[in-house]
Amino acid sequence: MAGRTQIPTKNSALIAMIADEDTVTGFLLAGVGNVDLRRKTNYLIVDSKTTVKAIEDAFKEFTAREDIAVVLISQYIASMIRFLVDSYNKPVPAILEIPSKDHPYDPAHDSVLSRVRYLFSAESVASGRR
Amino acid sequence: MEDDDRCSSSNPGGIGQEEEDEDGKVLRFLDSLDSYLTLLDALSSTLRQGWFELASARHSMGSSRISSVLLDQKVQSAATTFQVRKSIDGSPSESHPSFAISKWASSRNGKCSFRELEVSRVQKTSKNSELRHRGSSNFYDTTEEHDLTINASSTISDSDVQKERSKSLSVFGTLVSPKLRGAQVSFETALDAIVEIANIRSSMLSAFTQLQQEMKKDLG
């Protein structure tokens, strides 16, 4: 999968964020905030009023943009759009699920680890033994 | 079983080499999986520190002074950016992206300078995988820091970095709490962890793909 897809070389690429207010504020303090001429930002602050559709649209937009290298998404927000996150398989931008203040990181829900868990499942071991 | 014996006797080196390669791939995958989990744990700690400092700053400065409402909607470029390159492990067909970070790059006066953090172990194209040293979980042990400059006069200076940091802090007012500065440093550290996690993730998925192909070959 990784070998066949073209990997674009990017300089000065951005990091996109879909997270709660404190997480986004913190990373903006670290200098990753970007607002382009169309007033489009590289972040979405998710609160209680943010709809799942808005999160989905932001995820689709950030993963389609060519100037974004990494998309950071709080794991609990990723769980709201789990189907979309799990079905994403491009190498760039990389999707990283991060913990949030109220929801610690759970490896069981990480989409990357779910993908590779197959190697440790009973089915894969049994098929290897046949 | 007899076929295996005949094969191994006629070509003992070949099968041994294949098994070694497969073992190497398995080890590479397991090492990157372990690193991924360790780095996420480190990231969680760093983020917790950052959130705590942000909460302390909000407590001392007031909730209205640290709010998303104040975030600048003026056109601005990110001061911290990423670079994506193609990294090759083993065969040229198995390439995967590698990420690097440029912190507080200053391009206002036409000079471009940056500092890159690379995970040297992830980008090595070594055929022999080594067991990772099971020591402290300090991920900085595995990183190399390179100072790259575009030309001789464009070295990043601490004062440039401080200017960029102050500009970022100025969104929340002229006088800010030291806790807010502390939060800024914590989130900068978190960004370093994120770059490493992105590289480890990329390497892990590449190793996983190679293992899947090996398994299909064995079954087929």
Side-chain angles (χ1 to χ4, degrees), chain A residues 3 6 13 16 46 50 60 93-94 100 102 107 119-120 124:
Chain A
Q6 282 294 325
V46 175
T50 312
K60 286 177 188 166
S100 66
D102 305 319
L119 271 181
F120 303 103
S124 68

Side-chain angles (χ1 to χ4, degrees), chain B residues 80-93:
Chain B
T80 297
T81 55
F82 283 68
Q83 285 81 48
V84 183
R85 301 276 182 268
K86 193 157 75 167
S87 176
I88 296 169
D89 279 330
S91 67
S93 63

Side-chain angles (χ1 to χ4, degrees), chain A:
Chain A
M1 171 186 72
R4 290 185 193 139
T5 316
Q6 282 294 325
I7 292 160
T9 300
K10 297 182 190 197
N11 290 319
S12 303
L14 304 171
I15 185 169
M17 294 159 283
I18 304 176
D20 55 84
E21 181 179 344
D22 277 3
T23 307
V24 170
T25 304
F27 282 117
L28 292 183
L29 277 173
V32 300
N34 190 83
V35 182
D36 65 12
L37 292 167
R38 289 173 296 172
R39 298 292 171 98
K40 277 193 174 281
T41 59
N42 60 328
Y43 56 88
L44 172 71
I45 295 176
V46 175
D47 56 23
S48 54
K49 297 185 191 121
T50 312
T51 60
V52 173
K53 175 89 177 44
I55 298 170
E56 280 180 3
D57 290 343
F59 182 83
K60 286 177 188 166
E61 185 205 322
F62 291 150
T63 50
R65 276 171 65 167
E66 292 189 354
D67 59 344
I68 288 175
V70 174
V71 177
L72 287 185
I73 181 166
S74 295
Q75 195 174 48
Y76 83 97
I77 299 173
S79 296
M80 293 181 195
I81 56 168
R82 184 51 68 196
F83 177 72
L84 211 57
V85 173
D86 283 354
S87 58
Y88 175 84
N89 59 3
K90 285 192 271 179
V92 179
I95 311 297
L96 300 185
E97 293 182 35
I98 60 171
S100 66
K101 273 192 314 186
D102 305 319
H103 301 87
Y105 175 74
D106 182 2
H109 292 124
D110 189 311
S111 65
V112 170
L113 296 181
S114 304
R115 221 186 294 178
V116 304
R117 201 184 298 158
Y118 160 76
L119 271 181
F120 303 103
S121 71
E123 284 172 12
S124 68
V125 171
S127 64
R129 282 185 185 150
R130 265 180 245 128

